[in-house]
Amino acid sequence: MGRVVLLWVLLCGAAQASEMMDRLAALEQDPAKREQAYAAAEERILLCSKCHGKDGNSKRDYIPNLAGQNPQYLFDAFEKYVDGQRTDFVMSQAAKLLTVNERVSIAYYFSQQKVVPRAAPVVDKALLEQSAQRFATVCSTCHGEKAMGHDGFPRIAGQPREYLTHALQRYRDKDPSRADSPMLAVASLLSDDDIPALTAYLSQLQP
C-alpha cells in the first residue's frame, strides 16, 4: 500500500507541475493573461512583501531574494510547503492561504522582477577564483554555469550570503524539513571551508 500511495503522490506532483508549466506557457503567449496574472499577484503579495520585498528583493539577509527566480522552482517550493515536504513556520501557513492560480501568478510576478545587488564585503580574489572552481565542480550541473537556475532548479546567484550559508548548513546537517531534497547528497560533499567560500562567490554573482 505504501508504494501505491507514493506512486500516486509522484504522479499527482508531476501532473501539477505539468499543469503549472502549461499555465506559464499560456501567460507567455498572451499579453492580456500576463497583465491579468501580474495584477492578481500584486493584490496577493502583501504578506510576501513583508519579508521578501514587494519587488522580490529580501529585506533581511537571512531571507532569500525571489526577484528573477525561476518561476517553476518558485511554484514547486509553494507546493512543497502546502503538502508538508518542506516546513517553515511562516511559509507553511502562507502557502496554504493561496489558490493554485494565485501561486502561479505570484511565481510569475516575482520571476519578472530584477535583483538589486547588495553591497558585498570585499573578498580575497584568490578565494573567489578557488570558489568558482569548486562551484563548477559541485554546483553548476544543476544551477547552471552562472548559477541562474533552470527548470526546477533555483537561481542562487546574488542571493544574500547569510541566507546561502544557513541553507547549505541545513542541507549538510540533513535538516528534516528538507528531507526530500537532492541537496542533502550534494551538501555532504562540502567541507567547512567550502561553505564560506561558495557563499562569498555566489552572493557576488550578478546577471
Side-chain angles (χ1 to χ4, degrees):
M1 181 63 71
R3 291 183 179 179
V4 173
V5 172
L6 177 60
L7 179 60
W8 180 81
V9 169
L10 291 173
L11 289 174
C12 286
Q16 201 162 39
S18 176
E19 180 186 359
M20 181 268 182
M21 292 306 295
D22 289 343
R23 295 187 189 202
L24 281 176
L27 291 180
E28 292 296 334
Q29 297 168 9
D30 189 332
K33 288 184 178 179
R34 287 202 303 271
E35 189 172 324
Q36 184 180 11
Y38 199 90
E42 284 187 310
E43 293 183 3
R44 295 295 284 152
I45 62 167
L46 179 61
L47 180 59
C48 310
S49 66
K50 292 184 182 300
C51 294
H52 295 284
K54 185 176 180 180
D55 63 354
N57 287 281
S58 68
K59 296 184 176 182
R60 301 170 181 82
D61 287 340
Y62 59 86
I63 292 175
N65 291 329
L66 302 185
Q69 188 56 274
N70 180 349
Q72 182 180 341
Y73 168 76
L74 287 178
F75 182 80
D76 288 346
F78 268 138
E79 299 313 287
K80 288 177 181 178
Y81 284 120
V82 170
D83 64 23
Q85 290 184 56
R86 280 191 179 187
T87 57
D88 177 85
F89 180 75
V90 175
M91 284 302 303
S92 295
Q93 299 177 65
K96 293 174 183 176
L97 297 175
L98 303 169
T99 67
V100 172
N101 278 334
E102 288 171 336
R103 296 198 290 271
V104 170
S105 295
I106 290 173
Y108 173 76
Y109 171 88
F110 280 124
S111 75
Q112 302 302 300
Q113 307 305 310
K114 292 184 178 181
V115 176
V116 177
R118 272 177 163 78
V122 177
V123 180
D124 180 71
K125 185 177 180 181
L127 175 62
L128 288 179
E129 290 176 353
Q130 178 184 348
S131 304
Q133 294 174 2
R134 189 67 172 137
F135 172 83
T137 303
V138 179
C139 315
S140 62
T141 299
C142 293
H143 294 284
E145 183 180 350
K146 299 296 183 182
M148 298 299 290
H150 60 90
D151 300 325
F153 297 102
R155 167 190 172 140
I156 50 178
Q159 289 288 5
R161 189 175 182 182
E162 184 178 341
Y163 162 73
L164 290 170
T165 299
H166 181 57
L168 286 175
Q169 288 173 339
R170 290 176 74 182
Y171 285 125
R172 197 177 64 168
D173 294 342
K174 295 181 169 45
D175 187 324
S177 69
R178 299 294 185 269
D180 294 327
S181 174
M183 276 298 299
L184 296 177
V186 176
S188 68
L189 303 174
L190 302 177
S191 69
D192 288 339
D193 292 332
D194 285 334
I195 291 179
L198 283 170
T199 57
Y201 171 72
L202 290 168
S203 63
Q204 296 192 20
L205 272 184
Q206 299 297 335

